[in-house]
Amino acid sequence: MSSPDPQARAPHDAENRPEHGDSAPGVRQSRNQAEPRRRSPVIAVTGAASGVGAALVARLAESDEVKQVVAIDERRGDCASAQWHVLDVRDPAIAEKLRGADVVVHLALDLDLETDPAARTAYNVRGTQTVLTAAAAAGVHRVVLCTSAMVYGALPDNDIPLSEDSELRATAEATGVGDLLEIERLGRRAPRAHPGLNVTVVRPAVLVGGTDTALTRYFESPRLLVVAGSRPTWQFCHVEDLVSALEYAALEKAEGELAVGCEGWLEQEEVEELSGIRRMELPSAVALGAAARLHRIGLTPSPAGDLAYTMHPWVVSVSGLHAAGWRPRWTNEEVLAELLQEVAGRHTVAGRRLGRKDAATAAGAAGATVALLGAAAAVRRARRRRGI
């Protein structure tokens, strides 16, 4: 699906949205004196050369409200008007590159399914520690961290929706969630260790738009796995909406713990109807046991903990951003349609991408089970040929 005109898709007309210079609802102003115009900030972005970081840099560079964009990554990106610094975010020299910045948006995270988990954690946690410490040393007054609504946990007794100040009840059993929980912990500690440093955390729902996660791969399967007795709910967040929410946080129009996503949610039955993909229902013990064994022997990148996010609700309220005047431009239905277009032609079983032969098998009568067994046999044959 091509991106529709944002103005045509906006759920509220322009007169109901605060202009960039307007104060958020609830902020008092003098009757006789308007709020003084804030000076344009210098905003630094890590992870700036690709993905969400590149999109945010481009957006901030075009904004009249931003004085300068400082872009930091291990390679130079495409935005010519940004001031680029090429270095690893774990390098303490980043403190000097942040000097003069008012706000840092930290997006240099590795959540790739194929990355070695220990290396991923070392990069994510050490990088966040370094950025927070360097920001404080450089006199930055605000750091914006981006984690995920997954930190709330997917549990059968979750409220629908969860409030943004709900307890973080996730465990480290799902891909990357342990890293995100540690990043959240570092974010909470930083203002106590560095008085004067403000930390805002943005938590997107299922992120769609050039992303590859265990949750987007769920829709690459020949059947949608449903665990018997579970009640899945789906709330999406398009990358464009995440970027606009990060801009709000960077421009200090919203702060604190901010969930971001589409309005409302979709039930599993609605997802199946909209996608046209039928379900494959399995007992909980079978689904979880198989997922754990397949991950343990290295046949799938997704641990069993990922299944919880397709079983139990973790829908979030976006009231913090709403109070600041932000609204999503995408609906859940539109994001799902975009996701289905992105994954068309890909075939995944239990989080593992299949080749064409395996995919053809998956479409047959035996479905996902045969495909997975075939993939396992292929791996064993390849190992025997290599003498492993």
Side-chain angles (χ1 to χ4, degrees), residues 4 12 38 42 82 84 89 109 132 155-156 185 191 198 226 274 301 303:
H12 295 265
R38 258 181 293 184
V42 174
W84 284 91
V89 291
L109 297 179
L132 287 167
L155 299 158
R185 188 183 71 83
N198 175 293
V226 176
L274 290 166

Side-chain angles (χ1 to χ4, degrees), residues 44-376:
V45 180
T46 67
S50 61
V52 176
L56 179 62
V57 166
R59 186 180 181 108
L60 294 174
E62 294 175 355
S63 173
D64 293 335
E65 297 181 80
V66 178
K67 180 179 180 181
Q68 176 68 54
V69 179
V70 177
I72 298 172
D73 209 320
E74 293 178 54
R75 64 177 178 85
R76 188 182 178 90
D78 297 329
C79 184
S81 59
Q83 178 184 340
W84 284 91
H85 296 293
V86 179
L87 80 165
D88 188 314
V89 291
R90 294 169 293 181
D91 187 340
I94 196 173
E96 187 58 36
K97 310 305 181 186
L98 296 179
R99 201 165 301 282
D102 300 292
V103 178
V104 175
V105 183
H106 178 49
L107 300 174
L109 297 179
D110 180 3
L111 297 176
D112 192 317
L113 290 172
E114 310 300 336
T115 301
D116 173 71
R120 183 173 58 213
T121 296
Y123 178 81
N124 291 337
V125 174
R126 181 60 179 166
T128 303
Q129 286 175 325
T130 304
V131 168
L132 287 167
T133 302
V140 173
H141 70 262
R142 175 181 293 238
V143 174
V144 179
L145 302 176
C146 184
T147 60
S148 167
M150 294 177 77
V151 297
Y152 291 108
L155 299 158
D157 62 343
N158 274 347
D159 292 334
I160 303 178
L162 291 161
S163 64
E164 289 165 306
D165 60 357
S166 295
E167 180 185 356
L168 306 188
R169 297 199 290 162
T171 65
E173 295 171 357
T175 304
V177 173
D179 295 0
L180 300 179
L181 288 169
E182 180 62 17
I183 289 168
E184 294 258 356
R185 188 183 71 83
L186 292 170
R188 287 193 300 273
R189 286 179 49 193
R192 297 197 295 269
H194 308 289
L197 182 66
N198 175 293
V199 175
T200 292
V201 181
V202 177
R203 300 168 180 154
V206 180
L207 192 60
V208 174
T211 58
D212 177 25
T213 67
L215 293 168
T216 59
R217 287 191 182 188
Y218 178 81
F219 293 92
E220 299 177 14
S221 300
R223 297 285 185 270
L224 297 179
L225 173 63
V226 176
V227 176
S230 66
R231 52 166 190 158
T233 54
W234 292 90
Q235 181 187 31
F236 299 101
C237 176
H238 196 277
V239 163
E240 290 178 1
D241 283 336
L242 174 58
V243 168
S244 69
L246 289 168
E247 181 187 34
Y248 257 67
L251 292 174
E252 304 184 65
K253 297 178 180 180
E255 63 179 13
E257 298 171 347
L258 304 169
V260 55
C262 300
E263 306 278 8
W265 62 90
L266 298 173
E267 303 287 349
Q268 181 71 21
E269 293 75 16
E270 294 176 284
V271 166
E272 291 169 19
E273 182 180 353
L274 290 166
S275 68
I277 307 174
R278 290 184 291 169
R279 70 168 60 194
M280 179 177 69
E281 191 161 316
L282 293 176
S284 175
V286 173
L288 293 169
R293 286 193 296 274
L294 290 168
H295 182 65
R296 188 167 58 249
I297 63 177
L299 281 180
T300 65
S302 299
D306 286 347
L307 267 182
Y309 292 89
T310 69
M311 294 170 59
H312 307 304
W314 52 292
V315 171
V316 289
S317 164
V318 293
S319 58
L321 282 164
H322 275 200
W326 178 91
R327 296 292 185 274
R329 298 199 181 275
W330 291 74
T331 67
N332 282 304
E333 292 83 355
E334 289 170 334
V335 180
L336 177 57
E338 174 92 350
L339 173 57
L340 293 171
Q341 273 209 343
E342 284 189 5
V343 303
R346 300 177 192 165
H347 302 279
T348 293
V349 172
R352 180 182 181 274
R353 288 237 173 96
L354 306 178
R356 289 187 177 183
K357 290 183 179 180
D358 293 324
T361 305
T369 304
V370 173
L372 198 54
L373 293 174

